[in-house]
């Protein structure tokens, strides 16, 4: 079966459509590695950006002191500067002053590699947007729900985490989906610091095989699938967490 597929794509290459990733083992291995690294970037950055967003929104909601100032400054900085500049800053500026160890061959071995810096940059960048998403969700919860929780004997902290936060999360899903779709597409910027993600390996493949158009179309389809999967998962989670009165089409 595999041999038949490889034969088909070899013959297809003779007609001008050269998809080497389907019949050349070396290109296939490179491509799968890049796709895997892209998926790992998406998963790790999504997880950490949501954590950052939730913590930042909680700080902005519960306090307006120095901690609130720090969060607002972080949001302003990361939302208003290009992602590639942030990634260069972390990788070249911060990375250059980080401790350096030695590998088994006695050569310098950075404490954090390009993949780790890419995850840090993407997480902080998307986290800044998630802070505002979750903060807006908290602001959309009517104060009467907190008052009802207080009347039932909750203190303000308990009311916030047990009542306000679950409702705010439901209000945040639509905006969160947009943020995570943007994050999925933004993983291509990791190419700039040498992460072997999908764009990086695709560039290597089309440089070696001169099949730029074919690889561009393959990348387009894959990113459509990846962003579609992100939206699908969020929609499923949103549907599972929907409460009467808190979703479109629900009765009040």
């Amino acid at each position: 079966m595999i041999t038949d597929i490889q034969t088909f794509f070899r013959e297809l290459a003779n007609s001008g459509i050269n998809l080497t990733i389907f019949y050349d083992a070396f290109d296939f291995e490179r491509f799968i590695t890049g796709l895997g690294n892209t998926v790992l970037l998406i998963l790790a950055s999504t997880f950490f950006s949501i954590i950052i967003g939730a913590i930042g929104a909680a700080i902005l909601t519960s306090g307006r002191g120095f901690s609130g100032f720090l969060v607002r400054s972080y949001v302003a900085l990361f939302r208003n500067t290009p992602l590639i500049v942030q990634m260069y800053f972390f990788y070249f500026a911060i990375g250059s002053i980080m401790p350096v160890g030695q590998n088994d061959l006695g050569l310098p071995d950075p404490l954090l590699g390009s993949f780790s810096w890419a995850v840090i940059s993407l997480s902080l960048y998307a986290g800044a947007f998630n802070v505002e998403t979750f903060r807006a969700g908290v602001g959309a919860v009517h104060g009467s729900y907190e008052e009802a929780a207080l009347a039932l004997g909750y203190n303000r902290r308990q009311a916030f985490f047990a009542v306000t936060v679950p409702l705010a999360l439901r209000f945040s899903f639509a905006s969160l989906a947009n943020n995570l779709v943007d994050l999925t597409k933004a993983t291509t910027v990791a190419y700039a610091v040498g992460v072997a993600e999908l764009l990086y390996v695709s560039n290597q493949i089309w440089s070696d095989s001169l099949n730029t158009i074919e690889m561009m179309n393959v990348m387009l389809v894959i990113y459509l699938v990846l962003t579609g999967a992100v939206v699908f998962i969020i929609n499923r989670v949103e549907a599972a967490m929907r409460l009467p009165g808190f979703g479109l089409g629900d009765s009040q």
Side-chain angles (χ1 to χ4, degrees), residues 70-88:
L70 288 179
V71 173
R72 286 191 295 273
S73 299
Y74 152 70
V75 171
L77 175 64
F78 281 85
R79 288 183 64 182
N80 295 292
T81 53
L83 172 58
I84 192 169
V85 173
Q86 298 169 20
M87 195 166 291
Y88 278 150

Side-chain angles (χ1 to χ4, degrees), residues 52-54 56-57 60 71-72 75-76 79 126-139 172 175 179:
I52 292 170
L60 288 181
V71 173
R72 286 191 295 273
V75 171
R79 288 183 64 182
F129 290 90
N130 289 343
V131 168
E132 290 301 316
T133 291
F134 291 137
R135 186 185 65 81
V138 171
S172 302
S175 180
N179 293 347

Side-chain angles (χ1 to χ4, degrees), residues 40-56:
L40 287 176
L41 277 175
I42 294 170
L43 293 176
S45 302
T46 295
F47 175 78
F48 289 116
S49 69
I50 290 175
I51 297 298
I52 292 170
I55 294 173

